[in-house]
Amino acid sequence: MDLIDKPVSLDWIERLVRFDTTSRLSNLGLIETVRDHLIAAGHSPLLIYDASGKKANLFVTLPAHDGSTKGGVVLSGHTDVVPVTGQDWTSDPFNPTVRDGRLYGRGTCDMKGFLGVALAMLPAFAATRLRTPVHLAMSYDEEVGCLGADVMLRELARQDIRPDSCIVGEPTDMRVISAHKSSNLYRCTVHGCAAHSSLTPDGVNAIEYAARAICHIRDMADTYRENGPFDKDFAVPFTTANTGTISGGLSVNTVPDRCQFDFEFRTIRGVLAPDVIGGLRRYITGDLRDRIKAENPLADIVLETLAEVPGFDTAAYAEIAQLAQALTGSRGTDKVAYCTEAGLFQKAGMTAVICGPGSLQQAHRADEYVELSQISQCEQFMKKLATHLTITE
């Protein structure tokens, strides 16, 4: 690769990828490296830790020319990546490699490419007379339920740090995304009573009650599929539900005393997630729980919340959406079914869009990569943003 073809942010991206920040591990090595770099450059980053102290969010503000830190735009990305276990990689996933105009490595696409560009471009923002502040937000545990961003946003609110808008740099092929569905994850555990299968009346079959709950969830999903509401701008234009994992039972001749399954649902605008889970709770921990306890008072059904990530929907005419379209040279915005931290930023009072380098089709898979041309496009996006935010008179 000729040096002239090398994106200026490539060094930063490669540095970030070399940190194994799989969600089950700490991200402090990466966060502290960025913190030290920012402090050396004269900035004052804020670290917001999780309860264990082994993970942290980072938030830093580049003030406006007059010193103001109020309002402004956030450049947001998560630092954690999905596991590589069981995947057949051609090269070391944590030793980034350039081949055929692509940068390979875990997180190159999702989403250390965007974070590397943002870090490389920060000096350009700092060197301008900014009309409004620019903020950088780096979160932990997005891949396991957007846990870090929620902690970060609550702390920012406590400190009265309230930006106006946010660009979440998830991989979109540099398209502007203005809406996505919510994502709501739950675990249902059925506690039955064991017995020999020849004496089924002496037991309570946990798997059978779990099956009733699962069928109810599927019936709910079928109702949304058939009756809506619908939003034709989504590839799947209705609210969906899915049971993803299930475990239970010891042997075919034993009445199972335990069964556990995880399920999710994703709502479009017009369907309120609290209403959906409220209806499911009334059946699963209401009607169905009454039935299982009628068989044996020691039996029970428990429903746990694993993650509740709000959807987001930004009007195409909103200022940040119009700006993102102008910076990318695109017309119009798209909607996607997958979930990001954008809903949390919108819930916190910011208008949000998603726009970043790479394709979601390359994320989470073996030999994950980002096209270098996409990195260059993102760099141009950042340069244009800096120009847009610069006072010229």
Side-chain angles (χ1 to χ4, degrees):
M1 179 177 62
D2 295 331
L3 290 178
I4 193 171
D5 298 325
K6 180 180 177 181
V8 297
S9 58
L10 188 60
D11 289 344
W12 254 119
I13 299 171
E14 291 178 334
R15 192 185 312 182
L16 297 178
V17 172
R18 289 190 181 98
F19 289 99
D20 182 354
T21 52
T22 304
S23 299
R24 67 176 180 271
L25 305 175
S26 172
N27 73 337
L28 290 185
L30 183 153
I31 288 292
E32 290 171 353
T33 295
V34 174
R35 175 201 62 191
D36 294 346
H37 169 79
L38 293 172
I39 290 174
H43 305 298
S44 301
L46 169 67
L47 267 59
I48 304 163
Y49 293 87
D50 73 344
S52 73
K54 296 179 180 179
K55 298 182 181 182
N57 301 297
L58 182 148
F59 189 88
V60 65
T61 298
L62 279 60
H65 75 102
D66 59 0
S68 173
T69 59
K70 300 296 183 182
V73 59
V74 178
L75 305 175
S76 170
H78 62 83
T79 62
D80 62 317
V81 297
V82 297
V84 299
T85 306
Q87 294 184 338
D88 186 15
W89 282 73
T90 303
S91 55
D92 184 345
F94 299 106
N95 184 21
T97 305
V98 174
R99 300 194 302 270
D100 302 321
R102 298 169 174 173
L103 177 65
Y104 288 85
R106 175 56 87 223
T108 52
C109 173
D110 186 18
M111 57 179 294
K112 292 177 178 178
F114 178 83
L115 287 176
V117 172
L119 286 166
M121 295 294 109
L122 281 186
F125 289 107
T128 66
R129 298 180 67 235
L130 292 172
R131 290 186 290 106
T132 185
V134 173
H135 315 270
L136 175 64
M138 302 175 65
S139 64
Y140 64 84
D141 282 358
E142 188 271 351
E143 297 288 5
V144 292
C146 297
L147 306 180
D150 185 52
V151 172
M152 175 169 55
L153 289 165
R154 283 190 275 112
E155 177 61 20
L156 295 182
R158 191 186 70 81
Q159 296 194 28
D160 197 30
I161 301 172
R162 302 183 185 278
D164 296 320
S165 58
C166 178
I167 299 170
V168 179
E170 290 279 3
T172 68
D173 290 311
M174 293 305 296
R175 295 178 299 122
V176 181
I177 306 300
S178 61
H180 66 56
K181 298 180 180 182
S182 73
S183 178
N184 310 271
L185 286 69
Y186 303 90
R187 173 167 294 157
C188 181
T189 305
V190 181
H191 300 279
C193 298
H196 193 279
S197 62
S198 65
L199 302 170
T200 54
D202 292 346
V204 178
N205 193 309
I207 290 178
E208 292 176 353
Y209 275 93
R212 290 187 174 101
I214 291 168
C215 288
H216 185 83
I217 294 167
R218 173 57 189 262
D219 288 344
M220 178 202 74
D222 288 344
T223 297
Y224 282 118
R225 182 171 186 166
E226 294 167 7
N227 302 321
F230 301 101
D231 186 335
K232 62 180 178 57
D233 291 329
F234 285 106
V236 179
F238 45 82
T239 293
T240 61
N242 177 63
T243 299
T245 65
I246 186 169
S247 62
L250 297 175
S251 64
V252 72
N253 63 346
T254 302
V255 176
D257 65 352
R258 187 176 185 276
C259 185
Q260 184 177 86
F261 66 92
D262 293 352
F263 70 96
E264 61 147 31
F265 62 84
R266 297 172 184 260
T267 62
I268 64 170
R269 187 176 184 179
V271 178
L272 299 179
D275 291 347
V276 176
I277 192 58
L280 292 175
R281 284 188 185 280
R282 284 191 294 273
Y283 176 74
I284 294 172
T285 61
D287 297 346
L288 197 58
R289 185 170 181 266
D290 290 343
R291 289 178 63 183
I292 199 172
K293 282 192 167 293
E295 283 200 49
N296 190 318
L298 297 179
D300 204 358
I301 302 179
V302 178
L303 191 59
E304 303 172 71
T305 301
L306 300 182
E308 294 176 327
V309 184
F312 93 108
D313 198 330
T314 295
Y317 56 79
E319 183 177 353
I320 190 64
Q322 291 288 312
L323 174 59
Q325 291 175 70
L327 297 178
T328 58
S330 61
R331 291 186 177 182
T333 61
D334 296 317
K335 299 181 180 182
V336 293
Y338 61 80
C339 198
T340 75
E341 295 169 335
L344 291 169
F345 282 97
Q346 186 174 64
K347 186 178 179 181
M350 302 172 221
T351 54
V353 292
I354 309 170
C355 185
S359 168
L360 190 70
Q361 293 181 356
Q362 308 307 328
H364 295 200
R365 57 177 287 181
D367 287 345
E368 176 182 347
Y369 69 83
V370 62
E371 298 279 356
L372 296 183
S373 60
Q374 288 271 307
I375 296 298
S376 296
Q377 287 181 47
C378 190
E379 291 178 354
Q380 290 303 311
F381 178 95
M382 294 290 186
K383 291 175 182 178
K384 291 177 182 179
L385 178 60
T387 299
H388 172 79
L389 297 177
T390 299
I391 296 176
T392 56
E393 67 272 8

